[in-house]
Amino acid sequence: MDFRESKQLISCRVTAESFAIKGSFRIARGAKTSADVITVSLFTAAGERGWAEAVPYARYGETITSVAAQLAPIASQKLTISDVSEICSELPAGAARNALDCALHDLEAKISGERVHSRLGTSTPKALKSAFTLSLDTPEKMGLAAAEASQKHSLLKIKLGGADDIACMNTVRKNAPAAKMIIDANEGWEEDDLADLLSVAADCGAALIEQPLSSNADEVLLELQSPVPICADESAHTTEDLEALIGKYEYVNIKLDKTGGLTEAIKMQTRARELGFGVMVGCMVGTSLAMAPAVLLAQSAHFVDLDGPLLLATDRKQSLTYNGDTVSPPEPDLWG
């Protein structure tokens, strides 16, 4: 059923919410103590609600205020689904479009009684193994965190980009010898240090390295023979970015807050595979509502990093089920 042709009126509510992080979460660009999110809820007169969550991406100048302003034209108005869909298509890739696009997918599922994966023509989603992320810290603290996390998680993602990265890698490996390791530098490495850092990463058995260099200085990767596969994150936003990444990266990290929603993310994943890239599906630090659409996207990904809720002090009442190192698909009361 194509609800985009329906004349049924819906209303929209845009809210800002904040969820405390356990302690703090630090990457190369800084630390945060809360996940500040935008939630879009779409309502029909009959009471169906579709909703979704997005996390403004500070790296690209997004804030709660700026994302809310982008969504202001639909807030508290009566619009058709077609109207909302058109507004969504006019928004740029980013958090605002993500929240609106995923809320539309959820609303259409709720109206039809048909799950999103069925409407997309994909198979029933299954539980996935997700990475668990260790915040950037001193080598000693990261080593202790790795030892604890590896009791439940077989895939660890470690945030680097500081002065002690070599010591951090070695300590994490020593304290979690059996864990598979992803290294995420968040653009924090410099070209002069790259060879040494990659060599240590290889010695530590790293399976993947995310965005070692700034997206503005990654041309050097064209000439690099890296001993560890390299994944684009900050260099990869939408489908249009992919061809320029050929020869630099072997994988791309697809995040809904970068692509601007599930619709574009599906297109990007399809095109990435056509171009020969491996796919990682990642996330910002958010609640289960932000992860839910990404669990569908990640069903065929090579690497999955959807641990956002595990980093929070409290998740939403409607939440995903995490069991050890796996995350299960969302139930209808959450999303989809």
Side-chain angles (χ1 to χ4, degrees):
M1 186 183 299
D2 186 0
F3 296 101
R4 305 292 162 97
E5 302 300 322
S6 171
K7 299 302 180 183
Q8 178 179 197
L9 293 178
I10 61 174
S11 59
C12 176
R13 185 172 68 215
V14 178
T15 56
E17 299 179 86
S18 185
F19 296 83
I21 291 172
K22 295 175 185 175
S24 66
F25 183 74
R26 179 178 295 277
I27 66 172
R29 286 189 291 271
K32 59 192 299 186
T33 57
S34 64
D36 301 317
V37 308
I38 286 286
T39 305
V40 169
S41 299
L42 302 174
F43 300 91
T44 68
E48 293 101 345
R49 179 187 69 169
W51 67 331
E53 173 187 312
V55 184
Y57 214 147
R59 166 69 172 79
Y60 303 105
E62 290 185 335
T63 64
I64 291 292
T65 300
S66 69
V67 172
Q70 287 181 288
L71 294 166
I74 63 170
S76 303
Q77 292 192 42
K78 295 290 186 179
L79 301 167
T80 66
I81 290 180
S82 178
D83 292 333
V84 177
S85 178
E86 183 175 352
I87 292 170
C88 188
S89 67
E90 293 172 352
L91 287 169
R97 193 174 78 187
N98 176 29
L100 189 55
D101 178 76
C102 291
L104 274 173
H105 278 290
D106 188 39
L107 181 65
E108 292 177 340
K110 299 294 171 52
I111 294 173
S112 68
E114 185 180 11
R115 300 303 303 273
V116 170
H117 71 266
S118 295
R119 294 181 57 79
L120 294 173
T122 59
S123 59
T124 302
K126 300 178 181 179
L128 301 169
K129 180 182 290 188
S130 173
F132 181 78
T133 305
L134 304 183
S135 176
L136 176 64
D137 212 319
T138 65
E140 294 75 17
K141 289 183 179 180
M142 292 191 76
L144 291 173
E148 180 180 356
S150 64
Q151 299 302 308
K152 292 183 178 179
H153 304 278
S154 60
L155 177 60
L156 300 181
K157 175 173 173 175
I158 67 171
K159 291 289 189 177
L160 296 181
D164 298 320
D165 282 355
I166 288 177
C168 287
M169 284 188 275
N170 285 324
T171 305
V172 167
R173 174 48 72 214
K174 179 181 178 181
N175 286 25
K180 193 173 184 179
M181 183 192 301
I182 298 170
I183 292 169
D184 187 2
N186 285 114
E187 302 179 284
W189 289 356
E190 299 292 337
E191 180 181 350
D192 290 346
D193 303 320
L194 190 57
D196 288 341
L197 289 163
L198 290 174
S199 178
V200 174
D203 290 342
C204 288
L208 194 70
I209 297 176
E210 284 187 69
Q211 199 71 43
L213 302 175
S214 167
S215 61
N216 297 321
D218 63 0
E219 291 296 318
V220 66
L221 298 179
L222 287 169
E223 306 299 327
L224 180 71
Q225 297 296 317
S226 176
V228 181
I230 298 180
C231 177
D233 184 357
E234 285 85 350
S235 291
H237 292 252
T238 66
T239 308
E240 293 180 354
D241 297 324
L242 292 173
E243 291 196 17
L245 305 180
I246 295 172
K248 299 179 183 178
Y249 301 94
E250 295 174 66
Y251 288 79
V252 292
N253 187 347
I254 301 176
K255 295 178 181 175
L256 299 180
D257 283 309
K258 291 190 298 179
T259 65
L262 184 60
T263 301
E264 172 62 22
I266 292 170
K267 294 177 183 177
M268 185 175 180
Q269 182 168 237
T270 299
R271 183 57 178 154
R273 292 185 180 279
E274 291 173 351
L275 293 173
F277 290 106
V279 171
M280 179 179 187
V281 172
C283 67
M284 304 292 283
V285 182
T287 76
S288 285
L289 182 57
M291 307 300 123
V295 173
L296 268 62
L297 179 70
Q299 288 297 304
S300 61
H302 299 90
F303 292 93
V304 178
D305 176 29
L306 297 177
D307 63 340
L310 299 180
L311 306 176
L312 302 177
T314 305
D315 196 3
R316 293 183 184 273
K317 181 179 179 181
Q318 306 98 326
S319 60
L320 292 170
T321 298
Y322 288 86
N323 183 17
D325 61 0
T326 65
V327 54
S328 294
E331 295 296 330
D333 66 338
L334 173 61
W335 185 89

